[in-house]
Amino acid sequence: MKLRKVTAASAAVLALSLAATACGSDKKDDGGSSGSGGGKIKVGIKYDQPGLGLKQPDGSFSGFDVDVATYVAGKLGYKPNQIDFVETKSADRENALSRGDVKFIAATYSINDERKQKVDFAGPYLLAHQDLLVKKDSNVTKATDLNGKKLCSVTGSTSAQNIHDTIAPKANLKEYSGYSECIAALQSGAVDAVTTDDSILAGFAAQDKYKGQFKLAGLKLSNENYGIGVKKGDTATVDKINKALESMVSDGSWQKAVDKNFGPANYKNEQAPKIGQIVK
Protein backbone atom coordinates (compact mmCIF):
# COMPACT_ATOMS: atom_id res chain seq x y z
CA MET A 1 0.00 0.00 0.00
CA LYS A 2 2.84 2.36 0.91
CA LEU A 3 4.64 1.51 -2.36
CA ARG A 4 1.55 2.37 -4.38
CA LYS A 5 1.24 5.72 -2.56
CA VAL A 6 4.86 6.64 -3.39
CA THR A 7 4.40 5.60 -7.02
CA ALA A 8 1.23 7.65 -7.35
CA ALA A 9 2.94 10.68 -5.83
CA SER A 10 5.90 10.29 -8.18
CA ALA A 11 3.54 10.05 -11.13
CA ALA A 12 1.81 13.25 -10.08
CA VAL A 13 5.14 15.08 -9.79
CA LEU A 14 6.20 13.78 -13.21
CA ALA A 15 2.93 14.94 -14.79
CA LEU A 16 3.33 18.41 -13.32
CA SER A 17 6.93 18.57 -14.57
CA LEU A 18 5.91 17.58 -18.09
CA ALA A 19 3.11 20.15 -18.10
CA ALA A 20 5.46 22.90 -17.02
CA THR A 21 7.96 21.91 -19.72
CA ALA A 22 5.24 21.98 -22.37
CA CYS A 23 4.09 25.42 -21.28
CA GLY A 24 7.65 26.72 -21.34
CA SER A 25 8.11 25.57 -24.95
CA ASP A 26 5.38 27.91 -26.24
CA LYS A 27 7.63 30.84 -27.09
CA LYS A 28 6.02 34.15 -27.82
CA ASP A 29 7.00 35.61 -31.21
CA ASP A 30 8.47 38.97 -30.23
CA GLY A 31 9.55 40.10 -33.65
CA GLY A 32 12.27 37.54 -34.11
CA SER A 33 15.02 36.10 -31.96
CA SER A 34 15.14 32.36 -32.60
CA GLY A 35 17.17 32.30 -35.81
CA SER A 36 17.05 29.26 -38.07
CA GLY A 37 16.06 27.02 -35.20
CA GLY A 38 12.42 27.27 -36.23
CA GLY A 39 11.46 30.78 -35.17
CA LYS A 40 10.12 33.65 -37.23
CA ILE A 41 11.25 37.22 -37.73
CA LYS A 42 8.87 40.08 -38.44
CA VAL A 43 10.14 42.74 -40.80
CA GLY A 44 8.40 46.01 -41.64
CA ILE A 45 8.11 47.03 -45.29
CA LYS A 46 5.83 49.07 -47.54
CA TYR A 47 3.12 47.18 -49.41
CA ASP A 48 2.36 49.77 -52.10
CA GLN A 49 5.66 50.93 -53.62
CA PRO A 50 6.60 49.11 -56.84
CA GLY A 51 10.32 48.51 -57.09
CA LEU A 52 10.76 48.96 -53.35
CA GLY A 53 8.12 47.21 -51.30
CA LEU A 54 5.09 45.73 -53.03
CA LYS A 55 2.66 43.01 -52.06
CA GLN A 56 1.75 41.02 -55.14
CA PRO A 57 -1.76 39.65 -55.84
CA ASP A 58 -0.53 36.13 -54.98
CA GLY A 59 0.63 37.31 -51.55
CA SER A 60 4.35 37.37 -52.36
CA PHE A 61 6.54 40.46 -52.00
CA SER A 62 8.94 42.21 -54.34
CA GLY A 63 11.17 45.27 -54.46
CA PHE A 64 14.60 46.55 -53.48
CA ASP A 65 13.68 47.00 -49.80
CA VAL A 66 12.31 43.45 -49.79
CA ASP A 67 15.53 42.10 -51.29
CA VAL A 68 17.63 44.02 -48.76
CA ALA A 69 15.45 42.85 -45.87
CA THR A 70 15.59 39.23 -47.06
CA TYR A 71 19.38 39.34 -47.35
CA VAL A 72 19.77 40.92 -43.91
CA ALA A 73 17.38 38.44 -42.30
CA GLY A 74 19.39 35.64 -43.88
CA LYS A 75 22.56 36.93 -42.25
CA LEU A 76 20.67 37.03 -38.94
CA GLY A 77 19.91 33.33 -39.35
CA TYR A 78 16.45 33.31 -40.94
CA LYS A 79 15.47 31.56 -44.14
CA PRO A 80 13.02 33.30 -46.53
CA ASN A 81 10.14 31.14 -45.29
CA GLN A 82 10.84 32.32 -41.73
CA ILE A 83 10.28 35.99 -42.60
CA ASP A 84 6.90 37.59 -41.92
CA PHE A 85 6.65 40.87 -43.83
CA VAL A 86 4.46 43.35 -41.97
CA GLU A 87 3.03 46.48 -43.59
CA THR A 88 4.41 49.54 -41.83
CA LYS A 89 3.07 52.81 -43.15
CA SER A 90 5.21 55.91 -42.76
CA ALA A 91 3.22 57.36 -39.87
CA ASP A 92 3.46 54.16 -37.80
CA ARG A 93 7.08 53.14 -38.26
CA GLU A 94 8.39 54.43 -34.93
CA ASN A 95 5.44 52.95 -33.02
CA ALA A 96 5.85 49.56 -34.70
CA LEU A 97 9.44 49.39 -33.50
CA SER A 98 8.78 50.64 -29.97
CA ARG A 99 5.90 48.17 -29.55
CA GLY A 100 8.04 45.31 -30.80
CA ASP A 101 5.68 44.56 -33.70
CA VAL A 102 8.71 44.09 -35.97
CA LYS A 103 12.42 43.43 -35.47
CA PHE A 104 13.51 45.94 -38.08
CA ILE A 105 12.06 48.12 -40.83
CA ALA A 106 13.27 48.54 -44.42
CA ALA A 107 10.72 50.89 -45.97
CA THR A 108 12.20 53.97 -47.71
CA TYR A 109 13.03 55.10 -44.18
CA SER A 110 15.12 58.27 -44.52
CA ILE A 111 17.51 58.88 -41.63
CA ASN A 112 17.11 62.27 -39.97
CA ASP A 113 17.84 63.81 -36.58
CA GLU A 114 14.21 63.83 -35.45
CA ARG A 115 13.74 60.13 -36.13
CA LYS A 116 17.05 59.25 -34.46
CA GLN A 117 15.56 60.50 -31.20
CA LYS A 118 13.02 57.67 -31.36
CA VAL A 119 14.71 54.78 -33.18
CA ASP A 120 18.20 53.56 -34.05
CA PHE A 121 19.31 53.13 -37.64
CA ALA A 122 21.59 50.71 -39.42
CA GLY A 123 23.02 51.80 -42.75
CA PRO A 124 22.38 53.80 -44.79
CA TYR A 125 21.92 51.28 -47.61
CA LEU A 126 20.74 53.64 -50.39
CA LEU A 127 21.21 57.32 -51.19
CA ALA A 128 18.16 58.62 -53.05
CA HIS A 129 17.28 62.12 -54.23
CA GLN A 130 14.11 64.07 -54.88
CA ASP A 131 13.63 64.07 -58.65
CA LEU A 132 11.08 64.49 -61.42
CA LEU A 133 9.49 61.80 -63.55
CA VAL A 134 8.37 63.01 -66.97
CA LYS A 135 7.30 61.51 -70.28
CA LYS A 136 10.09 60.16 -72.44
CA ASP A 137 9.69 62.98 -75.01
CA SER A 138 9.28 65.75 -72.41
CA ASN A 139 11.34 68.94 -72.70
CA VAL A 140 11.41 69.36 -68.90
CA THR A 141 15.09 69.03 -68.04
CA LYS A 142 15.34 71.21 -64.94
CA ALA A 143 13.02 72.25 -62.12
CA THR A 144 12.52 75.79 -63.44
CA ASP A 145 10.97 74.29 -66.58
CA LEU A 146 7.95 73.49 -64.42
CA ASN A 147 6.79 77.11 -64.39
CA GLY A 148 3.40 77.11 -66.08
CA LYS A 149 3.21 73.30 -66.02
CA LYS A 150 1.29 70.84 -63.86
CA LEU A 151 3.28 69.12 -61.13
CA CYS A 152 1.89 66.16 -59.20
CA SER A 153 2.64 64.70 -55.80
CA VAL A 154 0.61 63.01 -53.07
CA THR A 155 -1.53 64.83 -50.55
CA GLY A 156 0.52 65.81 -47.53
CA SER A 157 3.87 65.48 -49.28
CA THR A 158 6.29 68.38 -49.11
CA SER A 159 8.10 67.50 -52.34
CA ALA A 160 5.94 69.46 -54.77
CA GLN A 161 5.53 72.35 -52.35
CA ASN A 162 9.31 72.63 -52.00
CA ILE A 163 9.69 73.03 -55.76
CA HIS A 164 6.85 75.55 -55.92
CA ASP A 165 8.19 77.62 -53.03
CA THR A 166 11.87 77.66 -53.92
CA ILE A 167 12.36 76.89 -57.62
CA ALA A 168 9.26 77.15 -59.81
CA PRO A 169 6.69 79.48 -58.19
CA LYS A 170 4.45 79.36 -61.27
CA ALA A 171 4.13 75.58 -61.25
CA ASN A 172 0.53 74.38 -60.96
CA LEU A 173 0.41 71.90 -58.11
CA LYS A 174 -1.84 68.86 -58.34
CA GLU A 175 -2.31 66.53 -55.38
CA TYR A 176 -3.56 62.94 -55.53
CA SER A 177 -4.09 60.39 -52.81
CA GLY A 178 -1.27 58.14 -54.02
CA TYR A 179 1.65 58.01 -56.41
CA SER A 180 -0.08 55.44 -58.60
CA GLU A 181 -2.71 58.09 -59.37
CA CYS A 182 0.03 60.62 -60.18
CA ILE A 183 1.73 58.19 -62.55
CA ALA A 184 -1.57 57.46 -64.30
CA ALA A 185 -2.17 61.21 -64.65
CA LEU A 186 1.29 61.62 -66.17
CA GLN A 187 0.55 58.84 -68.65
CA SER A 188 -2.73 60.47 -69.71
CA GLY A 189 -1.24 63.96 -69.97
CA ALA A 190 -3.26 65.37 -67.08
CA VAL A 191 0.04 66.43 -65.44
CA ASP A 192 3.48 67.19 -66.85
CA ALA A 193 5.66 65.79 -64.08
CA VAL A 194 5.59 63.81 -60.84
CA THR A 195 7.99 64.47 -57.98
CA THR A 196 9.24 62.42 -55.00
CA ASP A 197 12.34 60.29 -54.30
CA ASP A 198 13.99 59.08 -57.50
CA SER A 199 13.98 55.50 -56.20
CA ILE A 200 10.20 55.56 -55.77
CA LEU A 201 9.68 57.14 -59.19
CA ALA A 202 12.00 54.59 -60.80
CA GLY A 203 10.09 51.74 -59.18
CA PHE A 204 6.78 52.91 -60.61
CA ALA A 205 8.28 53.59 -64.05
CA ALA A 206 9.77 50.09 -64.12
CA GLN A 207 6.34 48.45 -64.02
CA ASP A 208 5.51 46.48 -67.15
CA LYS A 209 2.58 48.70 -68.07
CA TYR A 210 4.80 51.81 -68.05
CA LYS A 211 8.12 50.53 -69.41
CA GLY A 212 9.65 52.89 -71.94
CA GLN A 213 7.10 55.65 -71.43
CA PHE A 214 8.84 57.77 -68.78
CA LYS A 215 12.27 59.03 -67.80
CA LEU A 216 13.85 60.53 -64.71
CA ALA A 217 15.02 64.11 -65.11
CA GLY A 218 18.14 63.24 -63.12
CA LEU A 219 17.88 66.16 -60.71
CA LYS A 220 19.20 65.94 -57.17
CA LEU A 221 16.84 68.22 -55.30
CA SER A 222 17.48 66.58 -51.92
CA ASN A 223 19.48 63.79 -50.30
CA GLU A 224 17.52 60.89 -48.80
CA ASN A 225 19.64 58.43 -46.83
CA TYR A 226 17.61 55.23 -46.50
CA GLY A 227 18.36 53.34 -43.30
CA ILE A 228 17.04 50.24 -41.57
CA GLY A 229 15.10 51.17 -38.46
CA VAL A 230 15.65 49.23 -35.24
CA LYS A 231 14.16 49.64 -31.77
CA LYS A 232 15.91 52.36 -29.78
CA GLY A 233 18.74 50.90 -27.74
CA ASP A 234 19.07 47.63 -29.67
CA THR A 235 22.68 48.26 -30.65
CA ALA A 236 23.43 44.55 -31.01
CA THR A 237 20.93 44.23 -33.86
CA VAL A 238 22.17 47.46 -35.46
CA ASP A 239 25.72 46.07 -35.49
CA LYS A 240 24.60 42.78 -37.03
CA ILE A 241 22.57 44.53 -39.74
CA ASN A 242 25.46 46.83 -40.58
CA LYS A 243 27.73 43.83 -41.10
CA ALA A 244 25.06 42.22 -43.28
CA LEU A 245 24.77 45.36 -45.42
CA GLU A 246 28.53 45.49 -45.88
CA SER A 247 28.47 41.88 -47.00
CA MET A 248 25.60 42.55 -49.42
CA VAL A 249 27.63 45.26 -51.12
CA SER A 250 30.92 43.34 -51.19
CA ASP A 251 29.46 40.15 -52.70
CA GLY A 252 27.58 42.01 -55.47
CA SER A 253 24.07 41.28 -54.21
CA TRP A 254 23.34 44.97 -53.59
CA GLN A 255 24.02 46.05 -57.17
CA LYS A 256 22.07 43.09 -58.55
CA ALA A 257 19.06 44.15 -56.48
CA VAL A 258 19.35 47.74 -57.76
CA ASP A 259 19.55 46.61 -61.40
CA LYS A 260 16.64 44.21 -61.03
CA ASN A 261 14.24 46.62 -59.36
CA PHE A 262 15.15 49.99 -60.91
CA GLY A 263 16.97 49.18 -64.14
CA PRO A 264 14.02 49.48 -66.56
CA ALA A 265 13.61 53.18 -65.60
CA ASN A 266 17.27 53.94 -66.42
CA TYR A 267 17.87 54.73 -62.76
CA LYS A 268 21.38 56.06 -62.30
CA ASN A 269 21.93 55.08 -58.72
CA GLU A 270 24.60 56.44 -56.42
CA GLN A 271 27.25 54.01 -55.25
CA ALA A 272 26.34 52.06 -52.15
CA PRO A 273 26.86 54.42 -49.20
CA LYS A 274 29.34 53.56 -46.48
CA ILE A 275 27.87 52.55 -43.16
CA GLY A 276 27.32 55.60 -40.97
CA GLN A 277 28.03 58.02 -43.80
CA ILE A 278 25.08 60.42 -44.01
CA VAL A 279 25.01 62.79 -46.97
CA LYS A 280 23.37 66.08 -46.01
Side-chain angles (χ1 to χ4, degrees):
M1 184 69 174
K2 182 177 180 181
L3 179 60
R4 284 199 299 271
K5 284 183 179 179
V6 172
T7 301
S10 298
V13 170
L14 178 60
L16 288 172
S17 177
L18 290 174
T21 301
C23 291
S25 66
D26 292 335
K27 294 182 180 179
K28 180 181 178 182
D29 188 346
D30 61 354
S33 58
S34 300
S36 58
K40 292 273 191 178
I41 186 170
K42 293 181 179 179
V43 178
I45 61 168
K46 293 289 182 68
Y47 274 20
D48 58 354
Q49 289 184 340
L52 286 154
L54 184 68
K55 185 175 183 178
Q56 304 284 2
D58 64 359
S60 63
F61 300 92
S62 65
F64 181 70
D65 282 347
V66 173
D67 290 344
V68 170
T70 301
Y71 186 99
V72 167
K75 290 295 184 180
L76 295 181
Y78 296 88
K79 297 177 181 178
N81 63 2
Q82 292 177 289
I83 305 171
D84 285 339
F85 287 115
V86 179
E87 182 177 24
T88 49
K89 296 183 178 180
S90 296
D92 195 45
R93 287 179 297 204
E94 288 82 19
N95 290 331
L97 287 170
S98 65
R99 291 192 302 258
D101 296 345
V102 294
K103 188 68 173 178
F104 65 84
I105 293 175
T108 58
Y109 205 178
S110 295
I111 302 171
N112 61 39
D113 291 339
E114 181 181 354
R115 289 170 178 163
K116 286 194 293 186
Q117 300 300 315
K118 301 175 183 177
V119 302
D120 286 338
F121 283 100
Y125 63 92
L126 184 71
L127 175 60
H129 307 281
Q130 184 184 345
D131 200 356
L132 302 176
L133 188 71
V134 296
K135 283 191 172 182
K136 194 171 184 180
D137 59 356
S138 173
N139 58 5
V140 173
T141 60
K142 54 188 182 298
T144 52
D145 291 338
L146 293 170
N147 281 310
K149 296 186 182 298
K150 297 174 183 176
L151 175 63
C152 186
S153 194
V154 300
T155 303
S157 170
T158 60
S159 299
Q161 194 66 48
N162 288 341
I163 291 177
H164 180 272
D165 291 348
T166 62
I167 304 173
K170 295 182 180 179
N172 185 4
L173 302 187
K174 299 290 183 182
E175 291 187 329
Y176 289 78
S177 61
Y179 287 112
S180 57
E181 288 87 349
C182 278
I183 304 298
L186 180 61
Q187 183 185 41
S188 70
V191 300
D192 300 295
V194 181
T195 186
T196 187
D197 296 357
D198 52 7
S199 57
I200 296 174
L201 295 173
F204 276 101
Q207 290 181 286
D208 288 337
K209 60 183 177 181
Y210 295 133
K211 281 182 181 178
Q213 296 184 43
F214 307 129
K215 65 181 180 181
L216 289 163
L219 309 181
K220 297 181 179 180
L221 302 174
S222 71
N223 295 319
E224 306 297 335
N225 299 270
Y226 290 176
I228 293 182
V230 177
K231 187 174 183 178
K232 190 70 176 174
D234 189 358
T235 55
T237 298
V238 169
D239 291 342
K240 290 177 183 177
I241 293 177
N242 280 335
K243 289 179 181 178
L245 292 174
E246 289 176 342
S247 177
M248 187 176 188
V249 173
S250 64
D251 69 16
S253 298
W254 184 89
Q255 189 60 51
K256 288 180 181 178
V258 169
D259 294 341
K260 181 183 76 172
N261 293 293
F262 304 130
N266 196 29
Y267 178 62
K268 295 178 175 59
N269 64 281
E270 299 276 5
Q271 291 185 342
K274 292 182 180 180
I275 299 301
Q277 181 175 300
I278 306 301
V279 180
K280 298 293 186 179

